[in-house]
Amino acid sequence: MQLLLDKLQIISSWQVGYLIGVILLTGLLLHLFLHLYGYARRLGFEKQQQDLAKQEMQISIKAAMLRCQEAEAARQVWNGFRKFRVAKKVLECQDVYSYYLAPHDGKPIQGFKPGQYLTFQIYVPHQPKPVIRCYSISDAPRSDNHFRVTIKKALAPKGASVPHGIASTYFSDYLKEGDILDVKAPGGAFFLDLARATPVVLISGGVGITPMLSMMNAILNMGSKRQIWFFHGARNSKEHIQKDYLEQVVKEHENVHLFVSYSNPLPTDVMDKDYNHKGYVTVSLLKDVLPSNNFEFFICGPPSMMDNCAVRLAEWGVPKNRINFEAFGPPPKKKSEPTAAVKSGGPEIKINFSRSGKTLVWDTGCETILDFAEQKGIEISSGCRSGSCGTCLVAVKSGKVSTGGAHDAPGEEGSCLTCICKPETDLVLDI
Ligand SMILES: Cc1cc2nc3c(=O)[nH]c(=O)nc-3n(C[C@H](O)[C@H](O)[C@H](O)COP(=O)(O)OP(=O)(O)OC[C@H]3O[C@@H](n4cnc5c(N)ncnc54)[C@H](O)[C@@H]3O)c2cc1C
């Protein structure tokens, strides 16, 4: 018995020693593994940092190159209208075509800032004078020397016995490949600054998608990982411009987040495949989807959407300088600030149209000087009627004008954009 106990003691002390050895070795191996793992992670992290720094460096080089191109472009900018040939006309979706425009003289076209538009002078048959219209460039600056615009035919309101839109109908129903158009150099203050890295939220409704496509494509072309949250509203898949292209972009770029709202989906439209939300794009939708409000916002769409989004974004605490918007038509009628004379119930304001030799009493019911002049039979050339194209710019010989709080861009010093301005005092206009 004693012999058995002695044997057991020998075995167990040998086993304990063995166990301790195993534990120590495991600990050592674990330590070694953790050390190696940490090293590998550090290496991975450092590589990631290096890649990021490399990418940032590439982007800032590209941004610097872009700035040089822009400066060069500004030097080369063409004055007045230049001839462009319709190189390609492509049906995008119901009543919407894209037009690829190549310079007729074959010389290089200038760069532009994504979001800017072209101004067209269109000779529509049976119109008494050329029609001026603006169309946003719907693609990023490209190396193949053409611009792309995407135009929706403006149909007459249902039930109204008025004609369809003059220019857009001409583009859609009459303009063909090979035709020549008169185009002014790109312009406009609604654009994305490519030298910045701030994540962006693009909000568009209907054909308001055009400047957003330009902005998104410009970011992607730079190889930038800048975050893009793209909210687009359409009636349904039949009116969803560049649907397939956008879906492809989302598959290929993890920095692009697309959110589509259909206000009137077709029975065949599938939720979470064709669209993500039924209804309109609103700021409460944005709040549900976005991680924060710390973005730069770009909005273009129907007046009601723009008005609503701009107001609600400001209420959400987004600084004014981070909310950018472009109207495709006359700006939504805001409760404009009454002019000084109206505020004080003061004297009537007189406008002297010097070249026409007429002095008329301002009608406070008019929204703009352009409306007033047209009412009184004084002709002022006009285009966009939203303060964008500059066609209605008139020199102010004396007096003061204001935009009545409805627009931020009063035009050049000593002149006024009559489509957005009202008189503040008596005026003498050079028209
Ligand atoms: C900066 C900017 C960028 C733009 N970018 C684009 C773009 O990328 N794509 C795009 O498609 N558009 C764009 N637009 C809008 C474009 O410039 C035109 O306003 C649009 O094509 C309509 O012009 P139109 O000549 O066809 O219609 P208009 O002849 O100006 O008519 C407009 C509407 O009024 C209706 N109408 C006609 N007569 C009457 C009447 N008596 N009473 C009531 N209604 C009437 C017409 O049926 C039509 O629906 C942009 C506008 C701006 C300012």
Side-chain angles (χ1 to χ4, degrees):
M1 185 64 185
Q2 185 59 42
L3 194 72
L4 189 69
L5 281 176
D6 286 350
K7 260 192 178 166
L8 272 175
Q9 233 169 5
I10 291 164
I11 291 167
S12 62
S13 53
W14 178 83
Q15 275 182 331
V16 169
Y18 178 76
L19 209 67
I20 290 171
V22 167
I23 290 170
L24 280 176
L25 197 70
T26 313
L28 194 73
L29 283 174
L30 197 70
H31 178 74
L32 210 69
F33 171 75
L34 286 176
H35 187 72
L36 280 174
Y37 177 69
Y39 182 64
R41 274 195 61 172
R42 265 201 311 282
L43 263 184
F45 180 68
E46 275 168 19
K47 168 107 182 40
Q48 222 178 11
Q49 293 292 94
Q50 279 169 0
D51 285 352
L52 224 71
K54 207 167 130 192
Q55 211 206 12
E56 271 170 15
M57 171 82 91
Q58 280 169 349
I59 288 172
S60 61
I61 290 172
K62 279 189 188 168
M65 280 163 63
L66 258 163
R67 277 197 293 273
C68 291
Q69 281 170 13
E70 275 170 17
E72 180 55 28
R75 276 193 292 278
Q76 285 179 3
V77 76
W78 69 87
N79 286 319
F81 289 96
R82 181 173 167 190
K83 304 265 178 228
F84 276 75
R85 181 175 44 83
V86 180
K88 204 161 64 161
K89 177 176 177 178
V90 178
L91 180 68
E92 292 286 358
C93 63
Q94 187 174 284
D95 293 321
V96 181
Y97 285 92
S98 278
Y99 304 83
Y100 294 74
L101 309 174
H104 190 49
D105 57 15
K107 291 187 184 152
I109 54 173
Q110 69 173 87
F112 60 91
K113 295 174 180 153
Q116 289 191 309
Y117 59 82
L118 298 172
T119 302
F120 293 76
Q121 178 172 256
I122 312 150
Y123 293 86
V124 181
H126 313 300
Q127 285 299 317
K129 54 181 185 175
V131 178
I132 308 283
R133 294 287 184 273
C134 304
Y135 291 103
S136 300
I137 303 169
S138 62
D139 200 357
R142 295 161 58 114
S143 52
D144 53 0
N145 211 34
H146 71 243
F147 293 121
R148 184 181 77 184
V149 290
T150 303
I151 301 177
K152 184 180 168 77
K153 181 171 168 179
L155 299 174
K158 271 208 175 99
S161 56
V162 294
H164 296 318
I166 298 170
S168 57
T169 301
Y170 174 73
F171 270 94
S172 149
D173 298 359
Y174 299 101
L175 197 76
K176 11 177 237 319
E177 290 178 3
D179 284 353
I180 301 289
L181 288 165
D182 291 309
V183 185
K184 248 191 197 172
F190 179 72
F191 60 80
L192 177 77
D193 184 352
L194 287 173
R196 297 180 63 183
T198 332
V200 291
V201 176
L202 311 177
I203 308 167
S204 59
V207 78
I209 196 171
T210 51
M212 308 305 173
L213 287 170
S214 182
M215 293 182 194
M216 181 186 74
N217 289 349
I219 292 177
L220 299 181
N221 285 359
M222 286 177 79
S224 163
K225 292 281 171 264
R226 191 170 178 180
Q227 291 291 309
I228 304 169
W229 292 78
F230 199 150
F231 292 83
H232 179 62
R235 277 166 61 80
N236 50 50
S237 57
K238 241 164 78 180
E239 300 186 17
H240 188 164
I241 298 168
Q242 297 255 309
K243 179 176 188 293
D244 294 345
Y245 171 71
L246 285 168
E247 286 168 2
Q248 192 58 33
V249 164
V250 171
K251 276 188 204 148
E252 289 170 5
H253 299 273
E254 56 185 23
N255 55 323
V256 181
H257 315 274
L258 178 67
F259 203 90
V260 175
S261 289
Y262 283 170
S263 58
N264 192 10
L266 300 172
T268 47
D269 289 338
V270 179
M271 173 80 97
D272 289 331
K273 178 177 166 290
D274 297 300
Y275 66 109
N276 311 93
H277 166 255
K278 187 177 173 198
Y280 297 105
V281 178
T282 60
V283 172
S284 65
L285 176 68
L286 264 60
K287 284 181 180 172
D288 287 344
V289 177
L290 293 173
S292 75
N293 66 356
N294 193 13
F295 293 88
E296 190 162 3
F297 292 83
F298 292 86
I299 318 167
C300 184
S304 55
M305 184 189 102
M306 298 220 308
D307 221 9
N308 184 283
C309 283
V311 172
R312 300 274 174 264
L313 282 175
E315 283 172 5
W316 191 20
V318 179
K320 207 177 157 205
N321 62 359
R322 289 208 165 189
I323 307 173
N324 309 278
F325 51 90
E326 176 102 287
F328 275 6
K333 294 207 179 354
K334 293 183 183 167
K335 278 182 216 122
S336 54
E337 295 269 311
T339 57
V342 175
K343 261 189 230 165
S344 62
E348 56 189 22
I349 292 178
K350 293 195 186 80
I351 305 185
N352 172 256
F353 296 90
S354 63
R355 284 198 234 165
S356 326
K358 287 185 183 169
T359 301
L360 303 163
V361 176
W362 168 248
D363 174 355
T364 49
C366 278
E367 286 291 328
T368 65
I369 295 172
L370 178 65
D371 289 346
F372 176 67
E374 283 176 348
Q375 241 181 50
K376 302 291 179 189
I378 292 164
E379 198 172 317
I380 300 179
S381 297
S382 66
C384 65
R385 303 188 85 96
S386 60
S388 300
C389 72
T391 311
C392 66
L393 193 79
V394 163
V396 180
K397 288 177 152 180
S398 70
K400 255 181 87 182
V401 293
S402 85
T403 58
H407 206 286
D408 285 337
E412 296 163 15
E413 188 73 22
S415 63
C416 83
L417 290 165
T418 54
C419 73
I420 53 166
C421 285
K422 288 180 179 190
E424 277 276 308
T425 63
D426 284 351
L427 288 180
V428 180
L429 298 178
D430 183 31
I431 187 98

